[in-house]
Amino acid sequence: MELKDILKDGSKEMNVEITDHQVDQLIKYKDILLEWNQKMNLTAIEEEKEVMIKHFLDSLSCIQTKYLKTEGRMIDVGTGAGFPGVPLKIALPNIELTLLDSLKKRIGFLEEVCRETNLTNVEFLHGRAEDFGQDKAHREKYDYAVSRAVAALNVLVEYCLPFVKVGGYFICQKGPGLIEELPEAKNAIKILGGEVVDQIVVDLPFSDITHHILVIKKIKQTPIKYPRKAGKPSKEPIK
């Protein structure tokens, strides 16, 4: 199967529409990813078709939730090599995207990707979620936070929910471990001002991979003490 067909047919299977131009942008992204991956560790997935499925289609599956609109402000917390934020920005070009990562080299990579794929309205933040979550320029300023399995759920919600404005959503991609993690995170979600509104099972096209997307709505402001200082959420998750 051609790479373009994997993207077009796989997206269609997930009820996500992407144009030929957006397919070209994703393939350009793949080229830069694999080129940079020779000199720094961005992804363990290096086979082109696998990148299409496990990174790009996987990221685009967030659109299936129906909570993501075509406009608004989105922050991708702990974005790494840009997933799911950059593929979502390609598919939803009117979204204002902020990419947050703690590694400066990855930010440099993301800047190149966005330059080469002509993505505009993208902000790059180098630092930790705990610090930016207390920054007035970013705290409760986003319609959406997205993140792909960067920590256990009871830790992840403390990283992400402080960024989301009341009425907005945290869209969290998780593997099968979500089933065990959700009960342990329910109190943290409530304390941080969130409420679980949806849980979607995604069967990734052209693979035998199943994953979960959890949608948390921000129903009240996050108490000012959260997020706690860098390192605290992971060492002492909210019980």
Side-chain angles (χ1 to χ4, degrees), residues 111-172:
E111 287 172 337
E112 167 135 335
V113 167
C114 292
R115 192 164 51 245
E116 292 292 322
T117 54
N118 296 312
L119 293 180
T120 57
N121 276 336
V122 183
E123 181 181 20
F124 305 91
L125 297 181
H126 170 234
R128 297 186 64 135
E130 299 99 320
D131 297 327
F132 279 105
Q134 287 289 3
D135 185 330
K136 287 180 181 175
H138 298 280
R139 184 180 178 85
E140 299 191 325
K141 297 289 192 233
Y142 295 89
D143 301 288
Y144 313 103
V146 293
S147 194
R148 192 167 83 154
V150 298
L153 186 61
N154 56 356
V155 177
L156 196 56
V157 290
E158 187 170 352
Y159 293 157
C160 297
L161 276 174
F163 289 107
V164 182
K165 60 173 73 166
V166 174
Y169 296 93
F170 171 34
I171 296 171
C172 169

Side-chain angles (χ1 to χ4, degrees), residues 28-29 32 36 40 42 79-82 86 97-101 103-126:
K28 181 72 174 173
Y29 181 6
I32 302 166
W36 274 63
M40 62 181 285
L42 288 166
T79 184
V86 175
L97 177 64
T98 297
L99 297 168
L100 169 62
D101 199 82
L103 195 66
K104 186 78 171 145
K105 282 183 181 176
R106 283 198 290 253
I107 294 293
F109 161 74
L110 294 167
E111 287 172 337
E112 167 135 335
V113 167
C114 292
R115 192 164 51 245
E116 292 292 322
T117 54
N118 296 312
L119 293 180
T120 57
N121 276 336
V122 183
E123 181 181 20
F124 305 91
L125 297 181
H126 170 234

Side-chain angles (χ1 to χ4, degrees), residues 79-92:
T79 184
F83 308 119
V86 175
L88 289 172
K89 170 68 176 172
I90 287 171
L92 304 169

Side-chain angles (χ1 to χ4, degrees), residues 16-46:
V16 176
E17 290 293 325
I18 55 173
T19 65
D20 290 339
H21 174 62
Q22 289 164 336
V23 167
D24 290 341
Q25 286 176 297
L26 287 165
I27 289 174
K28 181 72 174 173
Y29 181 6
K30 177 266 302 175
D31 291 340
I32 302 166
L33 173 69
L34 296 182
E35 181 190 332
W36 274 63
N37 205 50
Q38 300 302 309
K39 52 190 175 181
M40 62 181 285
N41 183 27
L42 288 166
T43 176
I45 299 167
E46 297 186 283

Side-chain angles (χ1 to χ4, degrees), residues 221-236:
Q221 288 186 317
T222 298
I224 195 65
K225 68 182 276 191
Y226 300 107
R228 292 165 292 165
K229 287 185 179 176
K232 194 89 168 175
S234 58
K235 285 181 188 147
E236 297 175 25

